Amino acid sequence: MTGIRKLNEATTHRFREVILSRLEELEAEDSLGRDGQSVVSLDQQAVGRLSRQDALLSQSMAKATQARRDAKRRGLRAAIARLEEGEFGYCEDCGEDISPKRLELDPTVTRCISCASG
């Protein structure tokens, strides 16, 4: 068999570090994105109508970006759980190995290329 059917300790550690690093990056992005999600002022005397609409649009985009980060965070935590259970690197559909290069690119994937494209 090829791939990572039996993850050795070094490989498990490497994937765990990649996942934890990405979780830390998401936390850093969260702190930067909080300002964009703040409540938009209703005082049209202080802020013109178009500026307020721009602010509402920016707030909406910031919330959508936060939702994507939250989904990515859930995927990374699920990947950690699969690592700990010895299920990391197996396709959830066919049970075959997921390519290590695919996992390095995105450790949250749960399907091999064949199943993902089918």
Side-chain angles (χ1 to χ4, degrees), residues 14-49:
R14 181 171 50 89
F15 277 115
R16 183 180 313 282
E17 291 300 313
V18 166
I19 294 167
L20 292 175
S21 172
R22 292 188 185 177
L23 282 168
E24 287 175 13
E25 289 170 9
L26 288 172
E27 292 299 322
E29 289 175 19
D30 279 351
S31 20
L32 294 174
R34 283 190 189 101
D35 290 339
Q37 297 178 54
S38 60
V39 176
V40 176
S41 172
L42 294 174
D43 183 6
Q44 289 188 6
Q45 300 295 341
V47 178
R49 183 176 174 175

PDB file of all heavy atoms in Angstrom, residues 14-49:
ATOM      1  N   ARG A  14       4.097  16.089  12.377  1.00  0.00           N
ATOM      2  CA  ARG A  14       4.184  17.111  11.333  1.00  0.00           C
ATOM      3  C   ARG A  14       2.788  17.608  10.956  1.00  0.00           C
ATOM      4  O   ARG A  14       2.546  18.815  10.890  1.00  0.00           O
ATOM      5  CB  ARG A  14       4.910  16.574  10.106  1.00  0.00           C
ATOM      6  CG  ARG A  14       5.067  17.590   8.999  1.00  0.00           C
ATOM      7  CD  ARG A  14       5.982  17.094   7.891  1.00  0.00           C
ATOM      8  NE  ARG A  14       5.658  15.778   7.412  1.00  0.00           N
ATOM      9  CZ  ARG A  14       4.795  15.519   6.415  1.00  0.00           C
ATOM     10  NH1 ARG A  14       4.176  16.510   5.824  1.00  0.00           N
ATOM     11  NH2 ARG A  14       4.579  14.283   6.014  1.00  0.00           N
ATOM     12  N   PHE A  15       1.848  16.685  10.730  1.00  0.00           N
ATOM     13  CA  PHE A  15       0.486  17.096  10.385  1.00  0.00           C
ATOM     14  C   PHE A  15      -0.176  17.846  11.535  1.00  0.00           C
ATOM     15  O   PHE A  15      -0.897  18.815  11.321  1.00  0.00           O
ATOM     16  CB  PHE A  15      -0.370  15.900   9.953  1.00  0.00           C
ATOM     17  CG  PHE A  15      -0.177  15.532   8.510  1.00  0.00           C
ATOM     18  CD1 PHE A  15       0.371  14.313   8.160  1.00  0.00           C
ATOM     19  CD2 PHE A  15      -0.545  16.398   7.503  1.00  0.00           C
ATOM     20  CE1 PHE A  15       0.548  13.970   6.832  1.00  0.00           C
ATOM     21  CE2 PHE A  15      -0.369  16.073   6.165  1.00  0.00           C
ATOM     22  CZ  PHE A  15       0.182  14.854   5.823  1.00  0.00           C
ATOM     23  N   ARG A  16       0.071  17.405  12.764  1.00  0.00           N
ATOM     24  CA  ARG A  16      -0.495  18.098  13.919  1.00  0.00           C
ATOM     25  C   ARG A  16       0.030  19.536  13.976  1.00  0.00           C
ATOM     26  O   ARG A  16      -0.733  20.476  14.221  1.00  0.00           O
ATOM     27  CB  ARG A  16      -0.154  17.365  15.217  1.00  0.00           C
ATOM     28  CG  ARG A  16      -0.784  17.987  16.458  1.00  0.00           C
ATOM     29  CD  ARG A  16      -0.433  17.234  17.732  1.00  0.00           C
ATOM     30  NE  ARG A  16      -0.588  15.806  17.642  1.00  0.00           N
ATOM     31  CZ  ARG A  16      -1.759  15.143  17.714  1.00  0.00           C
ATOM     32  NH1 ARG A  16      -2.858  15.821  17.879  1.00  0.00           N
ATOM     33  NH2 ARG A  16      -1.798  13.834  17.617  1.00  0.00           N
ATOM     34  N   GLU A  17       1.321  19.726  13.719  1.00  0.00           N
ATOM     35  CA  GLU A  17       1.908  21.069  13.734  1.00  0.00           C
ATOM     36  C   GLU A  17       1.324  21.940  12.630  1.00  0.00           C
ATOM     37  O   GLU A  17       1.044  23.119  12.848  1.00  0.00           O
ATOM     38  CB  GLU A  17       3.436  20.989  13.601  1.00  0.00           C
ATOM     39  CG  GLU A  17       4.122  20.405  14.816  1.00  0.00           C
ATOM     40  CD  GLU A  17       3.858  21.222  16.072  1.00  0.00           C
ATOM     41  OE1 GLU A  17       3.974  22.463  16.020  1.00  0.00           O
ATOM     42  OE2 GLU A  17       3.520  20.612  17.101  1.00  0.00           O
ATOM     43  N   VAL A  18       1.126  21.371  11.445  1.00  0.00           N
ATOM     44  CA  VAL A  18       0.528  22.125  10.337  1.00  0.00           C
ATOM     45  C   VAL A  18      -0.877  22.571  10.716  1.00  0.00           C
ATOM     46  O   VAL A  18      -1.256  23.735  10.532  1.00  0.00           O
ATOM     47  CB  VAL A  18       0.494  21.268   9.044  1.00  0.00           C
ATOM     48  CG1 VAL A  18      -0.415  21.874   7.995  1.00  0.00           C
ATOM     49  CG2 VAL A  18       1.894  21.082   8.489  1.00  0.00           C
ATOM     50  N   ILE A  19      -1.661  21.671  11.278  1.00  0.00           N
ATOM     51  CA  ILE A  19      -3.046  21.979  11.655  1.00  0.00           C
ATOM     52  C   ILE A  19      -3.077  23.035  12.764  1.00  0.00           C
ATOM     53  O   ILE A  19      -3.828  24.011  12.681  1.00  0.00           O
ATOM     54  CB  ILE A  19      -3.786  20.698  12.078  1.00  0.00           C
ATOM     55  CG1 ILE A  19      -3.934  19.766  10.867  1.00  0.00           C
ATOM     56  CG2 ILE A  19      -5.128  21.023  12.693  1.00  0.00           C
ATOM     57  CD1 ILE A  19      -4.369  18.354  11.217  1.00  0.00           C
ATOM     58  N   LEU A  20      -2.253  22.864  13.785  1.00  0.00           N
ATOM     59  CA  LEU A  20      -2.222  23.835  14.886  1.00  0.00           C
ATOM     60  C   LEU A  20      -1.762  25.204  14.403  1.00  0.00           C
ATOM     61  O   LEU A  20      -2.288  26.233  14.848  1.00  0.00           O
ATOM     62  CB  LEU A  20      -1.335  23.326  16.021  1.00  0.00           C
ATOM     63  CG  LEU A  20      -1.874  22.100  16.764  1.00  0.00           C
ATOM     64  CD1 LEU A  20      -0.852  21.611  17.791  1.00  0.00           C
ATOM     65  CD2 LEU A  20      -3.210  22.394  17.425  1.00  0.00           C
ATOM     66  N   SER A  21      -0.806  25.222  13.478  1.00  0.00           N
ATOM     67  CA  SER A  21      -0.333  26.485  12.922  1.00  0.00           C
ATOM     68  C   SER A  21      -1.457  27.195  12.175  1.00  0.00           C
ATOM     69  O   SER A  21      -1.637  28.415  12.310  1.00  0.00           O
ATOM     70  CB  SER A  21       0.840  26.222  11.982  1.00  0.00           C
ATOM     71  OG  SER A  21       1.194  27.386  11.289  1.00  0.00           O
ATOM     72  N   ARG A  22      -2.234  26.450  11.426  1.00  0.00           N
ATOM     73  CA  ARG A  22      -3.349  27.058  10.697  1.00  0.00           C
ATOM     74  C   ARG A  22      -4.431  27.559  11.649  1.00  0.00           C
ATOM     75  O   ARG A  22      -5.066  28.581  11.393  1.00  0.00           O
ATOM     76  CB  ARG A  22      -3.901  26.079   9.677  1.00  0.00           C
ATOM     77  CG  ARG A  22      -2.888  25.839   8.567  1.00  0.00           C
ATOM     78  CD  ARG A  22      -3.390  25.058   7.434  1.00  0.00           C
ATOM     79  NE  ARG A  22      -2.292  24.811   6.503  1.00  0.00           N
ATOM     80  CZ  ARG A  22      -2.407  24.093   5.424  1.00  0.00           C
ATOM     81  NH1 ARG A  22      -3.567  23.552   5.104  1.00  0.00           N
ATOM     82  NH2 ARG A  22      -1.379  23.900   4.634  1.00  0.00           N
ATOM     83  N   LEU A  23      -4.644  26.848  12.747  1.00  0.00           N
ATOM     84  CA  LEU A  23      -5.599  27.323  13.755  1.00  0.00           C
ATOM     85  C   LEU A  23      -5.124  28.635  14.366  1.00  0.00           C
ATOM     86  O   LEU A  23      -5.927  29.556  14.578  1.00  0.00           O
ATOM     87  CB  LEU A  23      -5.805  26.268  14.845  1.00  0.00           C
ATOM     88  CG  LEU A  23      -6.724  25.104  14.478  1.00  0.00           C
ATOM     89  CD1 LEU A  23      -6.618  23.992  15.518  1.00  0.00           C
ATOM     90  CD2 LEU A  23      -8.161  25.569  14.334  1.00  0.00           C
ATOM     91  N   GLU A  24      -3.823  28.747  14.628  1.00  0.00           N
ATOM     92  CA  GLU A  24      -3.267  29.992  15.160  1.00  0.00           C
ATOM     93  C   GLU A  24      -3.431  31.141  14.171  1.00  0.00           C
ATOM     94  O   GLU A  24      -3.744  32.267  14.565  1.00  0.00           O
ATOM     95  CB  GLU A  24      -1.789  29.809  15.501  1.00  0.00           C
ATOM     96  CG  GLU A  24      -1.540  28.973  16.731  1.00  0.00           C
ATOM     97  CD  GLU A  24      -0.057  28.721  16.979  1.00  0.00           C
ATOM     98  OE1 GLU A  24       0.793  29.390  16.334  1.00  0.00           O
ATOM     99  OE2 GLU A  24       0.250  27.856  17.810  1.00  0.00           O
ATOM    100  N   GLU A  25      -3.234  30.853  12.882  1.00  0.00           N
ATOM    101  CA  GLU A  25      -3.413  31.882  11.859  1.00  0.00           C
ATOM    102  C   GLU A  25      -4.863  32.380  11.844  1.00  0.00           C
ATOM    103  O   GLU A  25      -5.106  33.579  11.698  1.00  0.00           O
ATOM    104  CB  GLU A  25      -3.044  31.330  10.479  1.00  0.00           C
ATOM    105  CG  GLU A  25      -1.572  31.090  10.289  1.00  0.00           C
ATOM    106  CD  GLU A  25      -1.257  30.313   9.016  1.00  0.00           C
ATOM    107  OE1 GLU A  25      -2.175  30.093   8.181  1.00  0.00           O
ATOM    108  OE2 GLU A  25      -0.094  29.915   8.842  1.00  0.00           O
ATOM    109  N   LEU A  26      -5.804  31.461  11.994  1.00  0.00           N
ATOM    110  CA  LEU A  26      -7.212  31.848  12.031  1.00  0.00           C
ATOM    111  C   LEU A  26      -7.508  32.729  13.233  1.00  0.00           C
ATOM    112  O   LEU A  26      -8.279  33.695  13.135  1.00  0.00           O
ATOM    113  CB  LEU A  26      -8.118  30.609  12.053  1.00  0.00           C
ATOM    114  CG  LEU A  26      -8.200  29.831  10.749  1.00  0.00           C
ATOM    115  CD1 LEU A  26      -8.965  28.529  10.958  1.00  0.00           C
ATOM    116  CD2 LEU A  26      -8.840  30.660   9.648  1.00  0.00           C
ATOM    117  N   GLU A  27      -6.905  32.411  14.376  1.00  0.00           N
ATOM    118  CA  GLU A  27      -7.097  33.238  15.572  1.00  0.00           C
ATOM    119  C   GLU A  27      -6.573  34.648  15.338  1.00  0.00           C
ATOM    120  O   GLU A  27      -7.202  35.627  15.733  1.00  0.00           O
ATOM    121  CB  GLU A  27      -6.405  32.605  16.787  1.00  0.00           C
ATOM    122  CG  GLU A  27      -7.038  31.318  17.257  1.00  0.00           C
ATOM    123  CD  GLU A  27      -8.478  31.477  17.708  1.00  0.00           C
ATOM    124  OE1 GLU A  27      -8.808  32.499  18.334  1.00  0.00           O
ATOM    125  OE2 GLU A  27      -9.276  30.573  17.426  1.00  0.00           O
ATOM    126  N   ALA A  28      -5.416  34.753  14.686  1.00  0.00           N
ATOM    127  CA  ALA A  28      -4.845  36.075  14.393  1.00  0.00           C
ATOM    128  C   ALA A  28      -5.749  36.844  13.436  1.00  0.00           C
ATOM    129  O   ALA A  28      -5.977  38.046  13.617  1.00  0.00           O
ATOM    130  CB  ALA A  28      -3.446  35.923  13.801  1.00  0.00           C
ATOM    131  N   GLU A  29      -6.292  36.158  12.430  1.00  0.00           N
ATOM    132  CA  GLU A  29      -7.203  36.813  11.498  1.00  0.00           C
ATOM    133  C   GLU A  29      -8.479  37.250  12.205  1.00  0.00           C
ATOM    134  O   GLU A  29      -9.057  38.279  11.855  1.00  0.00           O
ATOM    135  CB  GLU A  29      -7.544  35.872  10.341  1.00  0.00           C
ATOM    136  CG  GLU A  29      -6.387  35.641   9.394  1.00  0.00           C
ATOM    137  CD  GLU A  29      -6.713  34.611   8.327  1.00  0.00           C
ATOM    138  OE1 GLU A  29      -7.901  34.334   8.071  1.00  0.00           O
ATOM    139  OE2 GLU A  29      -5.765  34.065   7.737  1.00  0.00           O
ATOM    140  N   ASP A  30      -8.935  36.459  13.171  1.00  0.00           N
ATOM    141  CA  ASP A  30     -10.131  36.816  13.935  1.00  0.00           C
ATOM    142  C   ASP A  30      -9.960  38.163  14.613  1.00  0.00           C
ATOM    143  O   ASP A  30     -10.859  39.003  14.581  1.00  0.00           O
ATOM    144  CB  ASP A  30     -10.445  35.761  15.006  1.00  0.00           C
ATOM    145  CG  ASP A  30     -11.176  34.563  14.447  1.00  0.00           C
ATOM    146  OD1 ASP A  30     -11.602  34.612  13.273  1.00  0.00           O
ATOM    147  OD2 ASP A  30     -11.324  33.578  15.183  1.00  0.00           O
ATOM    148  N   SER A  31      -8.805  38.376  15.251  1.00  0.00           N
ATOM    149  CA  SER A  31      -8.621  39.638  15.952  1.00  0.00           C
ATOM    150  C   SER A  31      -8.586  40.811  14.985  1.00  0.00           C
ATOM    151  O   SER A  31      -9.081  41.879  15.304  1.00  0.00           O
ATOM    152  CB  SER A  31      -7.384  39.653  16.830  1.00  0.00           C
ATOM    153  OG  SER A  31      -6.458  38.723  16.505  1.00  0.00           O
ATOM    154  N   LEU A  32      -8.062  40.592  13.795  1.00  0.00           N
ATOM    155  CA  LEU A  32      -8.046  41.672  12.809  1.00  0.00           C
ATOM    156  C   LEU A  32      -9.437  41.931  12.240  1.00  0.00           C
ATOM    157  O   LEU A  32      -9.776  43.068  11.926  1.00  0.00           O
ATOM    158  CB  LEU A  32      -7.100  41.309  11.656  1.00  0.00           C
ATOM    159  CG  LEU A  32      -5.620  41.211  12.000  1.00  0.00           C
ATOM    160  CD1 LEU A  32      -4.840  40.710  10.791  1.00  0.00           C
ATOM    161  CD2 LEU A  32      -5.088  42.543  12.470  1.00  0.00           C
ATOM    162  N   GLY A  33     -10.263  40.898  12.139  1.00  0.00           N
ATOM    163  CA  GLY A  33     -11.581  41.039  11.536  1.00  0.00           C
ATOM    164  C   GLY A  33     -12.663  41.542  12.464  1.00  0.00           C
ATOM    165  O   GLY A  33     -13.751  41.902  12.020  1.00  0.00           O
ATOM    166  N   ARG A  34     -12.400  41.593  13.760  1.00  0.00           N
ATOM    167  CA  ARG A  34     -13.438  42.025  14.709  1.00  0.00           C
ATOM    168  C   ARG A  34     -13.885  43.460  14.473  1.00  0.00           C
ATOM    169  O   ARG A  34     -15.057  43.773  14.603  1.00  0.00           O
ATOM    170  CB  ARG A  34     -12.946  41.850  16.138  1.00  0.00           C
ATOM    171  CG  ARG A  34     -12.997  40.408  16.567  1.00  0.00           C
ATOM    172  CD  ARG A  34     -12.745  40.230  18.067  1.00  0.00           C
ATOM    173  NE  ARG A  34     -12.602  38.815  18.336  1.00  0.00           N
ATOM    174  CZ  ARG A  34     -11.440  38.186  18.505  1.00  0.00           C
ATOM    175  NH1 ARG A  34     -10.315  38.862  18.465  1.00  0.00           N
ATOM    176  NH2 ARG A  34     -11.402  36.895  18.732  1.00  0.00           N
ATOM    177  N   ASP A  35     -12.956  44.329  14.120  1.00  0.00           N
ATOM    178  CA  ASP A  35     -13.312  45.743  13.894  1.00  0.00           C
ATOM    179  C   ASP A  35     -14.312  45.886  12.752  1.00  0.00           C
ATOM    180  O   ASP A  35     -15.231  46.696  12.830  1.00  0.00           O
ATOM    181  CB  ASP A  35     -12.064  46.580  13.588  1.00  0.00           C
ATOM    182  CG  ASP A  35     -11.175  46.745  14.808  1.00  0.00           C
ATOM    183  OD1 ASP A  35     -11.690  46.571  15.938  1.00  0.00           O
ATOM    184  OD2 ASP A  35      -9.984  47.030  14.627  1.00  0.00           O
ATOM    185  N   GLY A  36     -14.147  45.092  11.709  1.00  0.00           N
ATOM    186  CA  GLY A  36     -15.036  45.189  10.562  1.00  0.00           C
ATOM    187  C   GLY A  36     -16.441  44.712  10.839  1.00  0.00           C
ATOM    188  O   GLY A  36     -17.364  45.008  10.081  1.00  0.00           O
ATOM    189  N   GLN A  37     -16.618  43.953  11.924  1.00  0.00           N
ATOM    190  CA  GLN A  37     -17.936  43.422  12.246  1.00  0.00           C
ATOM    191  C   GLN A  37     -18.683  44.277  13.261  1.00  0.00           C
ATOM    192  O   GLN A  37     -19.809  43.968  13.628  1.00  0.00           O
ATOM    193  CB  GLN A  37     -17.795  42.005  12.809  1.00  0.00           C
ATOM    194  CG  GLN A  37     -17.216  41.033  11.820  1.00  0.00           C
ATOM    195  CD  GLN A  37     -17.052  39.675  12.432  1.00  0.00           C
ATOM    196  OE1 GLN A  37     -17.996  39.126  12.965  1.00  0.00           O
ATOM    197  NE2 GLN A  37     -15.851  39.146  12.365  1.00  0.00           N
ATOM    198  N   SER A  38     -18.053  45.344  13.699  1.00  0.00           N
ATOM    199  CA  SER A  38     -18.676  46.164  14.732  1.00  0.00           C
ATOM    200  C   SER A  38     -19.950  46.823  14.210  1.00  0.00           C
ATOM    201  O   SER A  38     -20.179  46.940  13.012  1.00  0.00           O
ATOM    202  CB  SER A  38     -17.695  47.223  15.225  1.00  0.00           C
ATOM    203  OG  SER A  38     -17.315  48.051  14.159  1.00  0.00           O
ATOM    204  N   VAL A  39     -20.781  47.260  15.123  1.00  0.00           N
ATOM    205  CA  VAL A  39     -22.063  47.871  14.794  1.00  0.00           C
ATOM    206  C   VAL A  39     -21.835  49.164  14.016  1.00  0.00           C
ATOM    207  O   VAL A  39     -20.984  49.977  14.366  1.00  0.00           O
ATOM    208  CB  VAL A  39     -22.862  48.147  16.086  1.00  0.00           C
ATOM    209  CG1 VAL A  39     -24.156  48.882  15.770  1.00  0.00           C
ATOM    210  CG2 VAL A  39     -23.128  46.854  16.819  1.00  0.00           C
ATOM    211  N   VAL A  40     -22.635  49.330  12.973  1.00  0.00           N
ATOM    212  CA  VAL A  40     -22.538  50.535  12.151  1.00  0.00           C
ATOM    213  C   VAL A  40     -23.402  51.626  12.772  1.00  0.00           C
ATOM    214  O   VAL A  40     -24.551  51.403  13.132  1.00  0.00           O
ATOM    215  CB  VAL A  40     -23.008  50.238  10.706  1.00  0.00           C
ATOM    216  CG1 VAL A  40     -22.994  51.493   9.869  1.00  0.00           C
ATOM    217  CG2 VAL A  40     -22.129  49.168  10.091  1.00  0.00           C
ATOM    218  N   SER A  41     -22.846  52.813  12.892  1.00  0.00           N
ATOM    219  CA  SER A  41     -23.539  53.950  13.504  1.00  0.00           C
ATOM    220  C   SER A  41     -24.776  54.345  12.700  1.00  0.00           C
ATOM    221  O   SER A  41     -24.755  54.367  11.473  1.00  0.00           O
ATOM    222  CB  SER A  41     -22.580  55.139  13.577  1.00  0.00           C
ATOM    223  OG  SER A  41     -23.264  56.283  13.983  1.00  0.00           O
ATOM    224  N   LEU A  42     -25.857  54.656  13.414  1.00  0.00           N
ATOM    225  CA  LEU A  42     -27.097  55.064  12.765  1.00  0.00           C
ATOM    226  C   LEU A  42     -27.177  56.575  12.569  1.00  0.00           C
ATOM    227  O   LEU A  42     -28.105  57.072  11.938  1.00  0.00           O
ATOM    228  CB  LEU A  42     -28.307  54.604  13.601  1.00  0.00           C
ATOM    229  CG  LEU A  42     -28.506  53.101  13.697  1.00  0.00           C
ATOM    230  CD1 LEU A  42     -29.645  52.776  14.658  1.00  0.00           C
ATOM    231  CD2 LEU A  42     -28.788  52.506  12.334  1.00  0.00           C
ATOM    232  N   ASP A  43     -26.253  57.318  13.102  1.00  0.00           N
ATOM    233  CA  ASP A  43     -26.274  58.781  13.033  1.00  0.00           C
ATOM    234  C   ASP A  43     -25.890  59.238  11.630  1.00  0.00           C
ATOM    235  O   ASP A  43     -24.723  59.299  11.285  1.00  0.00           O
ATOM    236  CB  ASP A  43     -25.315  59.351  14.082  1.00  0.00           C
ATOM    237  CG  ASP A  43     -25.338  60.870  14.112  1.00  0.00           C
ATOM    238  OD1 ASP A  43     -26.178  61.478  13.408  1.00  0.00           O
ATOM    239  OD2 ASP A  43     -24.518  61.441  14.849  1.00  0.00           O
ATOM    240  N   GLN A  44     -26.888  59.573  10.807  1.00  0.00           N
ATOM    241  CA  GLN A  44     -26.606  59.994   9.440  1.00  0.00           C
ATOM    242  C   GLN A  44     -26.066  61.423   9.373  1.00  0.00           C
ATOM    243  O   GLN A  44     -25.623  61.865   8.331  1.00  0.00           O
ATOM    244  CB  GLN A  44     -27.846  59.839   8.569  1.00  0.00           C
ATOM    245  CG  GLN A  44     -28.171  58.388   8.310  1.00  0.00           C
ATOM    246  CD  GLN A  44     -29.278  58.194   7.299  1.00  0.00           C
ATOM    247  OE1 GLN A  44     -29.749  59.144   6.692  1.00  0.00           O
ATOM    248  NE2 GLN A  44     -29.682  56.956   7.132  1.00  0.00           N
ATOM    249  N   GLN A  45     -26.143  62.141  10.494  1.00  0.00           N
ATOM    250  CA  GLN A  45     -25.535  63.470  10.540  1.00  0.00           C
ATOM    251  C   GLN A  45     -24.017  63.335  10.560  1.00  0.00           C
ATOM    252  O   GLN A  45     -23.310  64.122   9.963  1.00  0.00           O
ATOM    253  CB  GLN A  45     -26.003  64.236  11.790  1.00  0.00           C
ATOM    254  CG  GLN A  45     -27.488  64.458  11.877  1.00  0.00           C
ATOM    255  CD  GLN A  45     -28.003  65.362  10.759  1.00  0.00           C
ATOM    256  OE1 GLN A  45     -27.249  66.089  10.127  1.00  0.00           O
ATOM    257  NE2 GLN A  45     -29.298  65.300  10.512  1.00  0.00           N
ATOM    258  N   ALA A  46     -23.541  62.302  11.291  1.00  0.00           N
ATOM    259  CA  ALA A  46     -22.096  62.100  11.417  1.00  0.00           C
ATOM    260  C   ALA A  46     -21.530  61.364  10.204  1.00  0.00           C
ATOM    261  O   ALA A  46     -20.401  61.598   9.807  1.00  0.00           O
ATOM    262  CB  ALA A  46     -21.787  61.319  12.697  1.00  0.00           C
ATOM    263  N   VAL A  47     -22.348  60.479   9.639  1.00  0.00           N
ATOM    264  CA  VAL A  47     -21.897  59.682   8.495  1.00  0.00           C
ATOM    265  C   VAL A  47     -22.946  59.813   7.412  1.00  0.00           C
ATOM    266  O   VAL A  47     -24.124  59.591   7.646  1.00  0.00           O
ATOM    267  CB  VAL A  47     -21.748  58.189   8.908  1.00  0.00           C
ATOM    268  CG1 VAL A  47     -21.323  57.360   7.721  1.00  0.00           C
ATOM    269  CG2 VAL A  47     -20.779  58.041  10.055  1.00  0.00           C
ATOM    270  N   GLY A  48     -22.542  60.161   6.211  1.00  0.00           N
ATOM    271  CA  GLY A  48     -23.490  60.291   5.107  1.00  0.00           C
ATOM    272  C   GLY A  48     -24.131  58.957   4.757  1.00  0.00           C
ATOM    273  O   GLY A  48     -23.650  57.889   5.131  1.00  0.00           O
ATOM    274  N   ARG A  49     -25.229  59.038   4.011  1.00  0.00           N
ATOM    275  CA  ARG A  49     -25.991  57.838   3.658  1.00  0.00           C
ATOM    276  C   ARG A  49     -25.157  56.829   2.868  1.00  0.00           C
ATOM    277  O   ARG A  49     -25.183  55.637   3.145  1.00  0.00           O
ATOM    278  CB  ARG A  49     -27.223  58.263   2.864  1.00  0.00           C
ATOM    279  CG  ARG A  49     -28.114  57.130   2.513  1.00  0.00           C
ATOM    280  CD  ARG A  49     -29.350  57.622   1.821  1.00  0.00           C
ATOM    281  NE  ARG A  49     -30.109  56.484   1.383  1.00  0.00           N
ATOM    282  CZ  ARG A  49     -31.279  56.564   0.832  1.00  0.00           C
ATOM    283  NH1 ARG A  49     -31.831  57.742   0.642  1.00  0.00           N
ATOM    284  NH2 ARG A  49     -31.918  55.483   0.461  1.00  0.00           N
TER     285      ARG A  49
END
